[in-house]
Structure formats: structure tokens, C-alpha cells
Amino acid sequence: MKRAYTNGLLLDGTEQMQPVEHKILLTEDDKITAIVDEGVDLDGYEVIDLHGGYLCPGLINLHVHLAGNGKPSAKPRDNAALVRKILSNGLTRAVAYRLVCSYAKLELLGGVTTIRTVGGIADFDTRCRDDAAAGRLLAPRILAANEGISVPGGHMAGSVAVAAHNNAEALAQLKKASGQKVDLVKLMITGGVLDATEKGMKPEMVKAVCDEAHKLGYTVAAHTESPEGVKVALENGVDSIEHGAKMDDETIRLYKERGAFVCTTISPALPYALFDTAVSGASEKDQYNGKIVFDGVVESAKTALANGIPVALGNDVGCPYITQYDFWRELCYFHKYCGVSNQFALYTATLRNARLAGVGDVTGSIEAGKSADFIVTRKNPLDDLTALRQLELVVCRGRAVHKPAPKRNKTVDALLDPYLA
């Protein structure tokens, strides 16, 4: 199928992007073939009139858990027990897999054309990746880690991560993940807002997994929300720090020596740090932890930007209040709390994220030869990033969805919208 997208303003995804008028984007099947001047012969093309909309690369979300929908819960969930129940028989597994696929579709309807999953149920994420790539379901391009590796009592142990008691068990899980043909490996080095404990991953386990993962050709992403955890991760071979924490000079040096990047996730801690506890249902301890994590993530990103350490964006979707269709909020928070321009936020969530994820030659910008992954907004996102909330069109690998309209959680909208300004 050959298509010509006309009457749009093109934002190419590069760091200095500006709207370009009087251009036509040509695609064939799943690829961008050319960007040409208005007036060329379009015989043989299906012409799609964008009516003055802004066409930019599809968003890229580098921190996703496909097993969650972000619905707030008044009571703490026993995630490990829920996952055991899901995996207990063929019927519940099938139902859960269909839910995971539906959540992946919601990412796409929210304008995200590539995701990087960093902890999931069983092998659901790689299965979803392969079904999407084969055209059997509507979903973004997926870079999948499947289950992460944690420790007993550690972050997400028993749900979207396997608890390894020792190095041998951690390496056995890595071998299993490799057999599932994952795209990257995920470690849970410290606790999180809702499961902060003294139990963290020992440096020797981090090193053992990183060394073997690198031999197998995988990068390693690590959940770390404390300064000490970040240092353990970087000293022992981790390639990306997920979330982050306040840095000192030694941490800055380690990032640069390792060539690692930080994947900033402002969204998940925000409700616990900034909502009234009567609204969030958080305990005093949860709110205290949430504030530490929120401040640490923001300061980590600001320090990284000031010191030339690459910063990526993800929103830890699946956490309470973080829906699969609202990645655009993370760009707004990046602008608001870290002080970057709208232009830089959009560049980070497109071309820079693509490059840091290792797919910059495939997607992330509007240029000939790359995948036909783009979105169209009615207003200019460089003027106001909330323009990304209402999309006219989403195209992923050439498949077009006109007027995407995911069903929104109005309660979540009402609680989060005040933090956009």
C-alpha cells in the first residue's frame, strides 16, 4: 500500500525540530519512502489529507509493565498471589494474555509506537511482541524483557520478577529469558515506593548477571531508587538506570565511565509524593518514600542533563494512576519539573529514546528508510505538549488508526490534570 500524507506540518523528531510546511510524506507498506515537495505527481498513492495537523514521530515509552492498567486501588494488592492465580491453569493464562495484548493496544492508541517492557508475567511480553510484529494484533513495536530478576522479598518478587536466592538461580533465570528470545534483561536492585525494604540485590549477583548477559548480547536495565543502589548497578555493569536517585560526583563519574543512561520516570511516584493521603490511600510511610523517590528521580534527571549523561523517558505504566494511554503526561512532567523545553521533551520521547534503546536506525524520526511510525495532532506540541492528548491519527509500521479514542479513566484524569500546569 502506497500512501501520501498531505497538508501537514512535519516535526522530524530531531533535537532542533521545527514545523516544516509544504511537504508530503510518502510511505509504502511499513516504510517511509520519501519526503517531497507539494505538487508532485501522486498517481498510484492513497492520499490522506492531514488538514493542517502536525505530524511527528510516534512516541517511544522505555519503561512499561504490560501486565497493569494503572487503575488506583484503595487497598494494597498482593501481586504475587494474583500472578500465581493467573498462571495456575490454561484458561486464566489465556485470559491474562488477552488482557496484556489489550493493554499494548492502549499504548498505541495513546500515540506510543514503540515500547520497552521491563518486567512482565511469564513470557507474555515476547509473545505479544511476536504477534504484533506478525500483524496478528494491533500493538506497538515491543522490546521485551519478560520477567525481571529480583531477590526474595525484593521489588516485585513473585509477580513481574523472579526471586533468585543466589547467583546460580539468577543465571538460570537469565538462561530461561534467553530461551524466550528477550530483547533485554531487567534487574530489581532496590525496593520501590510500596515495597521499600532492606532487601536489595548483592553486588556479586548484579555482576554475575551483567557479565553473562553481555556475553549473550543483551543490555541490562536496573530498577534503582537509592543512591547506593545506583552505584552498585553502575559498578557492576548495568547499562541503564531505571528511575534514578540523587547523584554525587562519584555517581556522575560512574555513569560516564560505564556509558550508561538514566531512564527518568516521574509519573509513578508523583501521586504518592504530591496527593493528599486521603486521596491516594497511601500510608505515612508510603508518602515519605514517595517523596524521596520523586525528588530523587527529578534531581537525577536534572543532574544528568547538566553533566551530559543521556536521559531517556518512561512512565512506569501499570503503577497506580499510570494508564497505558497517557505517556504524554511524562513529557509534560519532564518539562515542568526538570525545566527542559517542549522541543527537548518531544525529542527525548522520540529520536533520543529510539537511539538509547538501540533502534534509532529503525524508528524515532521522520526520514526516508525508517519505519512508518508517526502521530498527527491538531495543535503544535512544541507550543503545548498537551496537544499529544488528542490525536488525529496514529500510524505504526504502516498500519493507520484514525481518530484513536481509548476509553479514559475520568477519576485519574481529574486527579492528575492539575499537575500539568
Side-chain angles (χ1 to χ4, degrees):
M1 176 66 73
K2 297 170 73 174
R3 293 192 175 103
Y5 295 87
T6 66
N7 295 324
L9 293 90
L10 303 188
L11 295 165
D12 64 10
T14 58
E15 189 170 356
Q16 304 303 324
M17 74 181 100
Q18 289 295 330
V20 177
E21 300 180 85
H22 309 301
K23 295 290 184 181
I24 297 173
L25 182 72
L26 302 180
T27 68
E28 184 169 354
D29 298 327
D30 62 344
K31 290 285 192 295
I32 297 171
T33 54
I35 299 168
V36 298
D37 293 329
E38 288 180 348
V40 299
D41 182 8
L42 297 178
D43 185 46
Y45 284 86
E46 176 189 358
V47 177
I48 299 175
D49 190 337
L50 301 181
H51 302 288
Y54 291 79
L55 184 153
C56 70
L59 304 179
I60 298 173
N61 188 347
L62 290 196
H63 196 107
V64 171
H65 300 285
L66 278 179
N69 62 9
K71 183 178 179 180
S73 175
K75 298 179 180 179
R77 298 185 182 101
D78 186 341
N79 291 313
L82 179 59
V83 170
R84 285 196 299 272
K85 185 174 181 180
I86 286 170
L87 298 179
S88 64
N89 63 74
L91 177 60
T92 52
R93 288 179 74 103
V95 171
Y97 179 64
R98 287 181 63 185
L99 272 177
V100 163
C101 293
S102 72
Y103 295 157
K105 181 180 178 180
L106 283 177
E107 285 280 335
L108 186 68
L109 296 182
V112 175
T113 54
T114 298
I115 63 174
R116 173 176 171 258
T117 72
V118 284
I121 297 174
D123 63 347
F124 288 4
D125 291 355
T126 49
R127 285 175 57 194
C128 187
R129 173 199 66 193
D130 295 344
D131 284 343
R136 291 188 289 267
L137 60 90
L138 187 62
R141 173 182 295 98
I142 298 173
L143 306 172
N146 286 346
E147 297 166 299
I149 301 173
S150 188
V151 294
H155 187 55
M156 304 308 290
S159 58
V160 297
V162 170
H165 292 79
N166 50 51
N167 289 7
E169 288 187 4
L171 292 174
Q173 176 58 28
L174 172 60
K175 183 177 181 180
K176 178 182 175 182
S178 180
Q180 295 166 343
K181 296 186 165 82
V182 296
D183 300 294
L184 70 153
V185 173
K186 173 69 181 298
L187 297 180
M188 308 295 191
I189 290 180
T190 71
V193 172
L194 299 181
D195 63 3
T197 70
E198 296 301 316
K199 296 179 180 179
M201 187 172 287
K202 293 181 179 179
E204 54 266 32
M205 184 179 287
V206 177
K207 179 171 172 44
V209 173
C210 287
D211 287 351
E212 185 63 20
H214 292 153
K215 287 179 186 177
L216 295 171
Y218 298 119
T219 57
V220 181
H223 168 103
T224 44
E225 293 183 345
S226 73
E228 296 78 12
V230 171
K231 289 177 182 177
V232 166
L234 295 173
E235 287 171 343
N236 290 284
V238 162
D239 301 289
S240 71
I241 300 297
E242 309 295 308
H243 314 301
K246 292 182 180 181
M247 300 186 201
D248 58 18
D249 289 343
E250 182 186 1
T251 309
I252 293 168
R253 176 184 62 79
L254 287 169
Y255 265 108
K256 292 184 174 183
E257 286 182 0
R258 178 78 199 101
F261 67 88
V262 58
C263 184
T264 294
T265 58
I266 298 170
S267 296
L270 185 147
Y272 296 98
L274 304 183
F275 284 9
D276 189 295
T277 54
V279 174
S280 66
S283 67
E284 188 175 318
K285 183 191 80 170
D286 292 339
Q287 187 175 56
Y288 176 78
N289 290 336
K291 189 72 168 65
I292 290 174
V293 171
F294 180 81
D295 290 344
V297 168
V298 170
E299 287 303 313
S300 170
K302 291 168 78 171
T303 304
L305 291 168
N307 287 276
I309 297 166
V311 176
L313 283 183
N315 69 339
D316 208 357
V317 63
C319 291
Y321 304 97
I322 316 304
T323 65
Q324 296 284 358
Y325 50 78
D326 263 355
F327 177 55
W328 61 272
R329 290 185 188 275
E330 187 70 26
L331 281 69
C332 296
Y333 300 152
F334 192 41
H335 165 70
K336 177 178 179 177
Y337 294 105
C338 297
V340 304
S341 67
N342 290 346
Q343 183 186 56
F344 189 82
L346 188 57
Y347 158 67
T348 300
T350 55
L351 183 56
R352 187 160 221 194
N353 267 5
R355 287 171 172 167
L356 292 175
V359 291
D361 58 336
V362 175
T363 190
S365 60
I366 304 299
E367 59 182 295
K370 287 200 173 179
S371 181
D373 300 337
F374 50 88
I375 59 178
V376 177
T377 62
R378 180 53 38 210
K379 297 180 180 179
N380 184 359
L382 299 187
D383 293 335
D384 185 352
L385 289 167
T386 63
L388 298 166
R389 181 179 202 153
Q390 203 87 34
L391 302 176
E392 301 291 307
L393 178 69
V394 176
V395 177
C396 181
R397 289 186 280 210
R399 295 180 70 179
V401 180
H402 295 267
K403 300 284 187 182
K407 184 178 180 181
R408 303 190 62 84
N409 185 316
K410 293 181 181 179
T411 299
V412 169
D413 284 348
L415 290 170
L416 291 178
D417 283 354
Y419 297 93
L420 296 174

